[in-house]
């Protein structure tokens, strides 16, 4: 839940930052264009104002005014009468040009003595910037119009656009990826820290509990030794205390085992005699589950295998113990091993209760127990198979199983 809200916050934060940067880039571009146009207009107005001030219409023919622009290829001069008739034009012959009364820059100039407009020129076939100034002479009112190509301005704007796409967009992509990576690193670190805390807490509690538990066990054993002096009721209670103390003890041992396996970072590979290990486990199990009268069948092909002793022991102890624990009375446990390429395949089969299909997916989860009538009283903790799974994965192995209710189970370990 907390994870999701952090993720949501980060996505929104990244979105707003990216949105903010893109929006400000486009707003800046817009303002830059506005400023540029304004500057061009001011320059044009200034140069035309100066021009009509210095141009002496008494001595120089008005029709010659357009010749002043010929040197400047990007600029064009047009002289227009107050009635819209073109007197001269630096690029085109005046006779070919229509009445200019309806031109926006001229309409504005008639009103305010200066007018400007950006539009497409049919004569020059491109976008132009037009600035027209009112020119009062002794020969009447004229309008001197200068038009300049705005391709130069467009070129600069294209550069700005390129800057936005080549610099800004990759920057934003890198920025977004970096934010996601940073968030991911933060989450992984946080999870690792939490896991460490959890493992440490559980292991500290287990250690703390085991000390008084050992002392309780000792006192119980002391009392058991004086059994003859006890009443039948006290004897029964004592046996219950002993049983439960043993259960608690094995539960905390398994918790510590699981923690140890989970914390493990390295493996110590050595030559392990599988037969010796299996024999020792079996003699122990035969003792614990003596009443069940389980028959064991051994079929070990590859005896000496290269593995981590402690991890392999965890795997075999838990799987073999389950094969005994969940077996029927007078049942059978078969252990086989064979080499499979560079690995070893170990199969532990039993003729027990089997695991119902609806439980099969979850039996490797910690504390998961199939708690039904057939398993009642087995007293497991639900940690055995979790220890097996972690140990197998530390050894880069694989564990699979097949199980049929009332027929038994086969656990296959490839390590
Ligand atoms: P537990 O301490 O309960 O044995 P495990 O993690 O070893 O915990 O096993 C989880 C559950 O899987 C057990 O409660 C049991 O119901 C089921 N299970 C495991 N091995 C076998 C088996 N060989 N036969 C039948 N059921 C099994």
């Amino acid at each position: 839940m907390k994870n999701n809200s952090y993720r949501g916050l980060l996505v929104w934060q990244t979105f707003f930052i990216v949105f903010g940067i893109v929006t400000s880039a486009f707003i800046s571009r817009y303002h830059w264009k506005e400023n540029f146009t304004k500057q061009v207009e001011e320059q044009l107005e200034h140069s035309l104002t100066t021009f009509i001030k210095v141009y002496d219409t008494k001595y120089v023919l008005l029709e010659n005014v357009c010749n002043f622009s010929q040197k400047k290829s990007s600029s064009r001069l047009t002289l227009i009468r107050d009635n819209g008739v073109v007197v001269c034009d630096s690029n085109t012959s005046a006779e070919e040009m229509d009445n200019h009364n309806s031109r926006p820059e001229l309409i504005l100039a008639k009103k305010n003595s200066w007018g400007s407009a950006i539009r497409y020129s049919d004569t020059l076939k491109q976008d132009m910037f037009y600035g027209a100034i009112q020119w009062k002479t002794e020969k009447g009112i004229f309008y001197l119009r200068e038009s300049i190509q705005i391709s130069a301005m467009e070129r600069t704007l294209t550069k700005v656009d390129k800057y936005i796409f080549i610099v800004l967009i990759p920057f934003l992509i890198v920025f977004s990826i970096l934010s996601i990576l940073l968030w991911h690193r933060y989450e992984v670190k946080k999870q690792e820290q939490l896991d460490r805390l959890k493992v440490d807490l559980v292991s500290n509690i287990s250690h703390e509990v085991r000390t008084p538990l050992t002392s309780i066990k000792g006192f119980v054993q002391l009392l058991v030794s004086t059994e003859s002096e006890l009443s039948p009721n006290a004897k029964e209670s004592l046996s219950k205390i002993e049983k439960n103390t043993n259960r608690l003890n094995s539960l905390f041992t398994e918790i510590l085992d699981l923690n140890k396996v989970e914390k493990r970072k390295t493996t110590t590979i050595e030559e392990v005699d599988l037969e010796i290990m299996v024999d020792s486990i079996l003699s122990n199990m035969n003792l614990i589950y003596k009443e069940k009268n389980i028959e064991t069948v051994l079929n070990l092909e590859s005896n000496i295998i290269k593995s981590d002793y402690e991890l392999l022991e965890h795997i075999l102890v838990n799987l073999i113990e389950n094969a005994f624990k969940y077996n029927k009375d007078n049942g059978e446990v078969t252990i086989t091993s064979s080499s499979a390429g560079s690995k070893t395949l170990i199969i532990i089969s039993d003729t027990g209760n089997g695991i119902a299909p609806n439980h099969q997916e979850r039996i490797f989860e910690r504390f998961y127990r199939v708690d039904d009538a057939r398993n009642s009283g087995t007293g497991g903790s639900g940690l055995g198979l979790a220890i097996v799974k972690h140990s197998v994965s530390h050894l880069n192995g694989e564990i699979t199983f097949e199980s049929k209710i009332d027929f038994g189970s086969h656990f296959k370990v490839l390590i």
Side-chain angles (χ1 to χ4, degrees), residues 3 6-7 10 176-194 196:
N3 255 4
Y6 272 127
R7 193 179 315 169
L10 190 103
S176 309
I177 293 171
L178 268 178
S179 325
I180 290 163
L181 283 179
L182 274 177
W183 168 80
H184 186 69
R185 233 185 88 184
Y186 166 77
E187 283 298 311
V188 168
K189 271 203 158 171
K190 208 178 74 182
Q191 196 53 47
E192 275 173 8
Q193 224 170 5
L194 267 175
R196 239 192 339 263

Side-chain angles (χ1 to χ4, degrees), residues 322-333:
N322 283 352
F324 273 75
K325 200 164 35 169
Y326 302 107
N327 219 323
K328 292 173 188 144
D329 288 350
N330 307 314
E332 205 176 274
V333 170

